Structure formats: C-alpha cells, structure tokens
Amino acid sequence: MLPTSASDNFFGPPSVRSNPGNAGQRSLAAATAKQTEALMKLATGSRINRAADDPAGLIAAEALNSQLAALEAETRASERASAIARTADGALESLSDTLVDARAAAVAAANTGGMSEAEQRAYEMEVASAAQAADRVAQTAEFNDTPLFDGMMTIAIKDARLELPEVYSTDLGIDEVSVAQPEEAASMLDSAIEQIASVRGAIGMFERESAAIGRASAVEFENITAARSSIVDTDYPQAAAEDNRASILQAVNVTLLASSNDVGPDRLTGLLG
C-alpha cells in the first residue's frame, strides 16, 4: 500500500517529518550534554565525576583510594615511630656521655697521690652525677608528654618492634657508685655504659627497619597512585577534542534550527540525521 500523505513517507519518521524542529532540539540537547561532560572533565581533571560515567572504573578507583588512605596512615605512623626513637636515642646519648665522663673520673680518683681534697671532692661529685643523670633521664625523657623510659613504652610499625627499658640508676646498677672504691666504681660504670649502648643499638636497628618499611610504603603508594591515575584522570587531548566537536555540533544545530523555516523537511531531517 502506498503512502497516502506526506506524514506516511517511508523515508523518515512521521514525528520528524511532521515537526523537524523536534529533531533539531534533540540534536542540540545531545551536543550540549556532550560539551558539558567534556568541560567537566577538563575542569576537574577527572573523567569520572559521577557513577554513571564509569561504574566499574569508579569501583576500582574507590578500592585504590582505600589502599592509599591506609598507606598514608602507615606512613604517618612510621614517621611518628622514628621521631620517638630519635628522641629516645638523643636522651640516651647524653646519658652515655655522662657515664663515660664519670668512669674517667673514677679512674682518675684511683690515683690519689698529690691530689688535693678539693680535687677528690670534684671527682666524687662527677661520679655521683652518673646516678643522678640516669634518674633524671628516666624521670623526664618523654615524647608528647609520654614517658620514654618507664618500662611501658613500646614502639611498633608493621614487623618492627622496640621496647624501651627503665634506665634508673638502680636498673643500671650505679645507684651506690662511689670513688671510695674507684675500681669497683669503674666496673659498675662500664656495665652501665654497655647497657645503654645495647639499648641504643636496638633503637638503631629499629630505625633502620622503620626506614625500610617507609621506603617500601612510598614505592607502593607511588604505584597505586599511578594505577588510580590511569583509571580516573582526564585524557586532556581527548576531552578537548570532544569539547571542540560538541561546540561545532551546537553551532550547526543552532544555525539549522534558526533557518528551519527556510529549509524543507527532507533536507533538514537529512542534515540532522
């Protein structure tokens, strides 16, 4: 059966044939939407600005975001642990210097020949200062108002772990050190120096392990960031091209709609299609 009217023409949808301006409006709206999407990508630097842009990509990106957040927290914990270790080592370094000086005084005090009473008292005071220094460090050394050497401080980051001991004079065995027995005093101070050196060695090993963990975390963070970037970041040349194309289509559609009264339905439908 042959078409009985122009609206039943086989070569175009009746709705477009009867009102070709509708097709122009739809084409213009589509071009505008494309341009808005392209501009959004260019403005935000992200090609996924809503779930509908790439559902699978969004899921993957959110999973990577979670990993990045965990790595950032781990990095902060590692930096804090290293800061605590450095603070503890600094306090023990000062104590070690005092112990070394006290031992030298104990050795010097053993040679009393020609030594005045004032010199002997000075050596006695220097030796006694070792016990005082140990007690002072044990009582006052802290990090963020937290005591370091009360026997309760434990620093841990992943597999690296460090427990700081008490360093009171009684713990070091120098609470009764005296130049009255210089050889014994020197031996007691030697033992204390060795104990402090051992603790400092453990701190140094912890700092090395913590630094290695920090480097590994930094590499992992960089790799995950790159993976997320490949999923989320805008491809600027492509987005710019999409924007240009949409802009051109907008201009064409506006021109066609403006002159639709002067263009025949068949011609306008062909141009818009």
Side-chain angles (χ1 to χ4, degrees):
M1 180 178 178
L2 292 177
T4 58
S5 67
S7 61
D8 295 327
N9 193 296
F10 289 120
F11 301 103
S15 60
V16 173
R17 295 281 302 158
S18 60
N19 191 358
N22 289 341
Q25 291 291 347
R26 288 195 297 272
S27 182
L28 177 59
T32 301
K34 284 291 185 181
Q35 185 175 41
T36 300
E37 182 180 347
L39 289 173
M40 180 67 75
K41 291 178 181 178
L42 291 169
T44 63
S46 175
R47 72 176 191 83
I48 304 177
N49 295 291
R50 53 178 185 158
D53 291 338
D54 184 353
L58 178 66
I59 293 172
E62 288 302 312
L64 294 177
N65 284 339
S66 177
Q67 293 182 49
L68 290 174
L71 285 172
E72 287 180 340
E74 184 178 290
T75 299
R76 289 193 297 271
S78 177
E79 291 172 350
R80 181 181 178 85
S82 295
I84 295 173
R86 286 193 300 270
T87 302
D89 185 50
L92 293 181
E93 181 182 14
S94 176
L95 175 57
S96 181
D97 291 342
T98 301
L99 294 174
V100 169
D101 291 342
R103 185 191 183 284
V107 172
N111 303 314
T112 58
M115 186 180 298
S116 67
E117 290 185 5
E119 288 178 303
Q120 291 180 8
R121 284 195 301 271
Y123 285 132
E124 177 66 39
M125 291 175 61
E126 190 163 3
V127 171
S129 71
Q132 296 169 2
D135 291 338
R136 183 170 57 254
V137 167
Q139 292 171 359
T140 64
E142 59 182 30
F143 182 89
N144 196 26
D145 297 329
T146 302
L148 294 176
F149 299 107
D150 62 351
M152 303 292 290
M153 173 59 74
T154 298
I155 316 171
I157 178 71
K158 279 196 170 180
D159 296 330
R161 184 180 180 86
L162 174 67
E163 295 182 359
L164 296 176
E166 293 181 289
V167 293
Y168 284 97
S169 57
T170 52
D171 300 303
L172 300 177
I174 57 172
D175 53 312
E176 297 182 357
V177 66
S178 171
V179 293
Q181 297 175 314
E183 292 184 0
E184 181 180 349
S187 177
M188 293 167 66
L189 290 165
D190 277 337
S191 176
I193 291 170
E194 290 177 2
Q195 290 180 65
I196 296 301
S198 177
V199 176
R200 292 188 68 194
I203 292 174
M205 288 299 297
F206 174 81
E207 287 191 89
R208 283 192 174 187
E209 293 176 2
S210 180
I213 291 171
R215 289 192 296 271
S217 295
V219 171
E220 187 176 359
F221 187 91
E222 184 177 326
N223 290 338
I224 293 177
T225 299
R228 181 187 179 282
S229 178
S230 67
I231 295 172
V232 174
D233 287 359
T234 296
D235 183 337
Y236 279 93
Q238 179 180 346
E242 290 174 355
D243 176 43
N244 289 335
R245 182 174 183 277
S247 180
I248 293 171
L249 287 174
Q250 275 187 309
V252 169
N253 279 283
V254 168
T255 300
L256 290 176
L257 286 171
S259 59
S260 60
N261 292 332
D262 300 325
V263 178
D266 291 328
R267 177 58 176 163
L268 181 58
T269 302
L271 290 172
L272 296 174

